[in-house]
Amino acid sequence: MVQAPRGAQGIEPVLVVIPTYNERENLGPLLERLHKALPEVSVLVVDDGSPDGTGELADELAKANERINVMHRTEKAGLGAAYVAGFRWALAREYATIVEMDADGSHAPEDLPRVLDALEDADLSIGSRYVPGGSVVNWPKRREILSRGGGFYSRVALGIKVRDITAGFRAYRREVLEKLDLDVIASHGYCFQIDLTRHTVDAGFEIVEVPITFTERVIGESKMSGSIVREAFLRVGVWGLKRRWARLRKLVKRG
């Protein structure tokens, strides 16, 4: 079991990684709220070549605020790939904590202080919709059923007790991301968050869930698609079978 590197080492400095694709109208208000809630945190906007000018706006905001950084990618390669690029950027610098946050405003920056505080007793803190005190606002019932069902399926298939395993509002101590092999993390949709969670568990790190309020985006369109959901269903099933097979082999060897 890995000994969690907590306590005296602290969690600062903090970097919030925000992937963007066509989020021009959401980005400015989000960063304003974030720096009002936590003025000292730094931000990395990872833009996948947004045709609506999100990347150009991010550059303008970065010129006005030294705590805002921008990474420009030339193609829309998926949420997971953008996060991995952001993680690598953070690990090449001295950030102690790396945060995942959506650009569409569904993750309230005002909840981030509590998510960060939870790292006092954990290595990964997840902003959870599905623990007591968590909630969703203005989400279509179909999306909520899909999310809850996907989480239940993943927990059963993988034998992991995290209730909001697909959540995208997270804070990692840098030691977690240093330990994980980011090259093997599945990079699409649901799969990315689930895969990161299972690798974090398997590496022996401590995970805590913090209740948050998740609010459906007001501006723009969701990037979720049926193909992403189908891929997640198949991948999680395969991962679950492999985990059970590995456990069975260990039991046989011990016997």
Side-chain angles (χ1 to χ4, degrees):
M1 178 69 72
V2 175
Q3 185 65 39
R6 309 183 200 112
Q9 289 186 293
I11 64 168
E12 295 181 350
V14 176
L15 178 72
V16 180
V17 180
I18 304 178
T20 57
Y21 186 77
N22 287 349
E23 298 288 358
R24 182 180 178 87
E25 294 183 77
N26 289 314
L27 183 61
L30 175 67
L31 294 183
E32 183 177 350
R33 288 173 61 193
L34 176 59
H35 279 130
K36 184 176 181 180
L38 289 167
E40 299 303 313
V41 304
S42 296
V43 174
L44 175 65
V45 177
V46 183
D47 187 65
D48 274 7
S50 298
D52 74 342
T54 301
E56 289 79 358
L57 173 62
D59 286 335
E60 293 173 12
L61 296 171
K63 289 178 182 178
N65 187 337
E66 65 180 5
R67 294 194 176 276
I68 299 174
N69 307 274
V70 185
M71 176 188 294
H72 293 279
R73 288 155 51 84
T74 57
E75 61 179 348
K76 188 174 183 290
L79 180 71
Y83 269 129
V84 169
F87 293 164
R88 295 190 189 282
W89 190 93
L91 293 176
R93 292 158 177 82
E94 298 301 317
Y95 294 103
T97 301
I98 298 94
V99 174
E100 295 182 29
M101 179 181 285
D102 286 353
D104 61 10
S106 58
H107 299 146
E110 295 79 12
D111 284 336
L112 182 54
R114 292 187 297 104
V115 173
L116 292 174
D117 286 345
L119 287 177
E120 180 69 25
D121 300 306
D123 304 293
L124 165 59
S125 174
I126 296 178
S128 176
R129 297 160 288 189
Y130 306 136
V131 295
S135 63
V136 296
V137 176
N138 295 333
W139 223 16
K141 184 56 68 174
R142 176 180 172 277
R143 285 289 305 277
E144 184 175 351
I145 292 172
L146 178 64
S147 175
R148 288 182 179 274
F152 177 77
Y153 168 69
S154 299
R155 291 197 306 273
V156 172
L158 300 175
I160 293 174
K161 295 181 180 180
V162 174
R163 294 195 60 81
D164 201 351
I165 196 170
T166 63
F169 192 13
R170 301 171 171 226
Y172 289 88
R173 286 184 177 269
R174 75 173 288 128
E175 291 82 4
V176 178
L177 299 179
E178 286 176 330
K179 175 80 173 180
L180 303 185
D181 183 357
L182 297 177
D183 289 328
V184 304
I185 303 295
S187 63
H188 297 286
Y190 274 8
C191 280
F192 177 70
Q193 307 298 0
I194 297 168
D195 205 14
L196 268 177
T197 305
R198 74 183 183 103
H199 281 289
T200 300
V201 169
D202 290 347
F205 289 106
E206 188 72 22
I207 299 174
V208 66
E209 293 185 82
V210 178
I212 63 160
T213 297
F214 178 96
T215 304
E216 172 68 335
R217 66 159 66 233
V218 175
I219 301 171
E221 298 180 354
S222 172
K223 310 302 190 296
M224 184 61 66
S225 69
S227 62
I228 289 175
V229 173
R230 287 191 293 273
E231 181 202 26
F233 182 86
L234 293 173
R235 281 184 183 254
V236 170
V238 171
W239 293 336
L241 289 173
K242 288 182 177 179
R243 287 171 74 88
R244 282 169 169 71
W245 176 244
R247 289 170 184 169
L248 180 60
R249 290 182 64 184
K250 286 182 180 179
L251 288 173
V252 170
K253 287 181 179 180
R254 288 175 184 173

